[in-house]
Amino acid sequence: MNRNSRKAFTLIEVIISSMIFFIVSVGFSAGIIAALKTHAMSAQHYRGTCIARNQLQHARTLAFDAVRQLQTNIWVDEQGYRTPVTNNGSFYLCTTVNYPSNMIDTVEVVARVYFPQPGGKMSHQPIDLRTMINRRW
C-alpha cells in the first residue's frame, strides 16, 4: 500500500485544529462571562428601582405632614426591609424630602438607591426617582 494513499490526519493538522478550537472556545467563554455579569448587574438595578418605587408609593399613602418623616439613610435588603450595615447583597436607600421655594403646599420626595454590583462593590451612580406630593384639602 502506498504511503500517500492513506487517509488520516497528521500530527500538525491535529495540533492546528486543536489550537483553533481553543481560541474559539476562549472567545465564547469570555462572551458568556460578560453576559452573566451584565445580567447580574441589571437584575440588581431592577431590584433597586423597585425599592425606590416602593418608597415613593409609600410616601403617596402618608398624610402630607407625615411625609417629612420619610427622610432616611438606611441599608435595606431586596424587599426593602432594614438590614445590618453590609455591602453584601444590601442596597443603600437615601430618601430626602424637599420643599420647593415657590410652592407652599407641595413637597418633592427623592428616593436614591445604591445597589451592589458584581465583585462586591456598590454602584457609583444611584437610581434616582422623584415625585411631587400636594397637600389635599
Side-chain angles (χ1 to χ4, degrees), residues 39-129:
H39 172 71
M41 191 165 148
S42 65
Q44 294 294 68
H45 188 276
Y46 175 74
R47 288 181 187 110
T49 303
C50 289
I51 291 168
R53 261 190 281 160
N54 288 344
Q55 185 73 353
L56 295 182
Q57 188 64 30
H58 177 64
R60 290 185 193 113
T61 63
L62 295 175
F64 183 79
D65 295 327
V67 172
R68 178 181 344 200
Q69 297 169 357
L70 275 182
Q71 294 207 140
T72 56
N73 291 316
I74 58 172
W75 289 91
V76 296
D77 63 7
E78 292 179 350
Q79 286 79 34
Y81 298 120
R82 187 180 295 256
T83 186
V85 178
T86 173
N87 287 0
N88 261 349
S90 296
F91 297 80
Y92 187 70
L93 172 62
C94 177
T95 307
T96 57
V97 180
N98 304 317
Y99 295 90
S101 59
N102 58 349
M103 299 178 179
I104 298 170
D105 292 328
T106 304
V107 294
E108 178 188 37
V109 181
V110 180
R112 284 188 181 91
V113 177
Y114 292 88
F115 56 95
Q117 294 180 325
K121 296 181 180 177
M122 294 300 285
S123 62
H124 299 291
Q125 194 73 13
I127 299 162
D128 193 5
L129 298 181

